[in-house]
Amino acid sequence: DTAVSQTPKYLVTQMGNDKSIKCEQNLGHDTMYWYKQDSKKFLKIMFSYNNKELIINETVPNRFSPKSPDKAHLNLHINSLELGDSAVYFCASSQGGLRGETQYFGPGTRLLVL
Amino acid sequence: GESVGLHLPTLSVQEGDNSIINCAYSNSASDYFIWYKQESGKGPQFIIDIRSNMDKRQGQRVTVLLNKTVKHLSLQIAATQPGDSAVYFCAENRGGTASKLTFGTGTRLQVTL
């Protein structure tokens, strides 16, 4: 009965590789998000999709490409991984993507680039 | 630039005492604020929110206070329990129509027995 789920939970990979992280929500929400949390616990939004349409893109390198096959899924593909990509990536969702809505977070994917 | 920040990076309280976690924000256009709790190895968990047309909101053992005059937000936890140990984030929704949250730097709450 997990509301927002992510796979994998841990991801260890070499520099230069390409990897994907998957996210699914069963809350019936229209909007999903990807956040990055660095080693100092700072959380920053990366992308937001509303009903499969990109609505927020926070100047993230184009090596990061979100893909939303349907409104319940938002995957994050990362090309040519760099050391600085090591972080915890959180997926979140909210009802309609409007200002003033609560966002619900997944458990996170811990990415370590060696 | 404008930011959301916290006064205290670490707060240590005894079990049973009340905790107060503070947050300063600088964007006067922000009108929605949320507190999240993040336990070790988990994602942020919603605690309580408040809109700018209110100055106080209460939940179960938690109260959020908003002072728009000095752009200050606080989270009060009554009768702090060991399970309250976590990192607490305030977040604001600034500008635009989208739900775009800007998070503060976080405060670690340590509950001692």
Side-chain angles (χ1 to χ4, degrees):
Chain A
D1 60 346
T2 305
V4 183
S5 59
Q6 297 178 227
T7 54
K9 185 170 182 179
Y10 299 96
L11 185 53
V12 182
T13 188
Q14 300 283 337
M15 268 175 50
N17 284 350
D18 303 338
K19 290 293 179 185
S20 291
I21 307 171
K22 296 187 175 183
C23 179
E24 177 180 0
Q25 54 94 5
N26 63 7
L27 296 167
H29 288 167
D30 286 341
T31 306
M32 297 181 72
Y33 311 79
W34 276 110
Y35 285 83
K36 179 179 180 180
Q37 185 172 48
D38 63 21
S39 59
K40 295 179 181 177
K41 294 284 190 184
F42 187 66
L43 261 168
K44 185 170 168 54
I45 190 167
M46 300 172 68
F47 300 103
S48 171
Y49 267 73
N50 178 272
N51 210 4
K52 303 194 293 176
E53 300 278 338
L54 180 66
I55 57 172
I56 295 174
N57 183 340
E58 287 291 294
T59 60
V60 177
N62 58 15
R63 296 183 296 104
F64 290 78
S65 52
K67 285 185 171 53
S68 183
D70 55 63
K71 72 175 191 178
H73 296 84
L74 181 62
N75 304 323
L76 184 65
H77 188 75
I78 315 171
N79 289 326
S80 303
L81 278 155
E82 300 177 358
L83 294 177
D85 297 332
S86 296
V88 184
Y89 292 83
F90 288 101
C91 178
S93 73
S94 70
Q95 183 65 52
L98 298 175
R99 183 188 180 98
E101 287 181 353
T102 303
Q103 294 181 20
Y104 297 90
F105 284 77
T109 294
R110 285 136 192 88
L111 172 65
L112 177 60
V113 182
L114 303 173
Chain B
E2 295 179 302
S3 65
V4 177
L6 298 177
H7 295 307
L8 299 172
T10 303
L11 177 65
S12 186
V13 298
Q14 279 206 315
E15 182 180 4
D17 288 350
N18 296 335
S19 303
I20 300 176
I21 301 172
N22 297 302
C23 180
Y25 67 96
S26 56
N27 190 333
S28 55
S30 295
D31 61 1
Y32 178 63
F33 304 88
I34 308 180
W35 280 100
Y36 281 92
K37 172 187 180 183
Q38 187 178 21
E39 296 175 274
S40 181
K42 296 184 179 179
Q45 177 188 0
F46 171 83
I47 303 174
I48 192 167
D49 59 2
I50 189 167
R51 299 184 191 277
S52 59
N53 60 352
M54 303 172 71
D55 53 23
K56 180 179 179 179
R57 190 156 188 236
Q58 287 185 289
Q60 189 177 15
R61 280 201 308 119
V62 294
T63 301
V64 55
L65 299 177
L66 175 62
N67 185 331
K68 294 180 288 294
T69 304
V70 295
K71 298 189 184 70
H72 185 266
L73 192 68
S74 69
L75 176 70
Q76 300 179 0
I77 304 173
T80 312
Q81 302 169 0
D84 295 327
S85 293
V87 176
Y88 290 80
F89 294 94
C90 64
E92 62 176 330
N93 201 153
R94 14 161 128 161
T97 56
S99 176
K100 180 180 169 183
L101 295 180
T102 300
F103 280 79
T105 52
T107 292
R108 184 176 300 280
L109 176 65
Q110 294 177 332
V111 181
T112 57
L113 301 177

